[in-house]
Amino acid sequence: MSNHITGHTGLLCLLGSPVAHSVSPEMHNEACNQLGLDYTYLAFDVPEDQMPKAVEGLRTMGARGWNITMPGKNIMCRLADKVSPASEISGACNTIVNDNGVLTAYTTDGVGFMRAVAENDVDIIGKKMTLLGAGGAATAILVQAALDGVAEINVFNVRDAFWGRAEEIVAKLNERTECKVTLHDYEDPEVLRASIKDSAILVNGTSVGMAPNTDRTIITDTSMFHKDLFVFDVIYNPQETRFLREAREAGCKTANGMYMLLYQGAASFKLWTGQDMPVEIVKEKYFSK
């Protein structure tokens, strides 16, 4: 690590629990080193009930900004002074910018997703998306895709604890964007089949198929895949889930969530520093296959 810490060095950090596994410190410190920026990025294990105290400390100490991972993404929105449109609609944020004590909340997960899709030479603007899930990652994708101009999004989710919140978010998006958003459960598989048939992109925004449960998939009927479909999985452990493998075998172009993670970090970095993260260098060092 070549960054030399002085009395001028600014603080960036990650809050959440657990955080020790996170690649964010390596990614952001590498970017700061490459660009000669005088910041250090650290990870702090902070449970949700301690977030208000941690935030007041960081505000008082003049930290430039921080990322928030689970379980703090919702409470952090309430602790901020201002919220971006995407954070306001979703009720969640993963990035705080501290401008002289004024905290602004942003969510860059959806931005990271949209950039990861574009990097695959797939254009989904003005087209239809089928989105599986309505938890944190899925909601970030849903909101940003609607704001960015995806024409229609069908969200499928079991009637779980997320259902009520999903209904509220869908209503807001239909009111405030040009996107036609509909929420479905999985009761009728033919509704899902019809949605996928007309979609340019199918996204798994759930944890189904994540290690160690790699034998599981959310789409058990592989005849739903078609060769014109781009299939995206937010999971990146394993790098190819059963969902992605079976989509690839059906002739679909596929991508996992690894570059979504990279690009959400790049978007946070730009909000704090005003500079573009050197993503090719970061990609090569920390995200190479």
Side-chain angles (χ1 to χ4, degrees), residues 154-168:
N154 286 338
V155 183
F156 289 82
N157 198 67
V158 291
R159 288 181 179 266
D160 61 6
F162 293 122
W163 185 267
R165 191 187 68 173
E167 284 182 314
E168 288 173 27

Side-chain angles (χ1 to χ4, degrees), residues 196-251:
I196 292 172
K197 183 171 180 286
D198 294 341
S199 291
I201 182 169
L202 170 65
V203 181
N204 175 34
T206 77
S207 59
V208 176
M210 187 186 285
N213 303 309
T214 55
D215 57 332
R216 297 185 63 211
T217 179
I218 200 155
I219 298 286
T220 50
D221 181 353
T222 58
S223 71
M224 290 189 184
F225 295 126
H226 56 86
K227 64 175 175 37
D228 297 325
L229 187 67
F230 178 53
V231 179
F232 190 99
D233 199 329
V234 297
I235 296 168
Y236 50 89
N237 179 23
Q239 289 195 1
E240 186 176 60
T241 55
R242 180 181 161 193
F243 171 73
L244 287 187
R245 186 184 76 248
E246 290 177 348
R248 176 174 56 79
E249 288 166 353

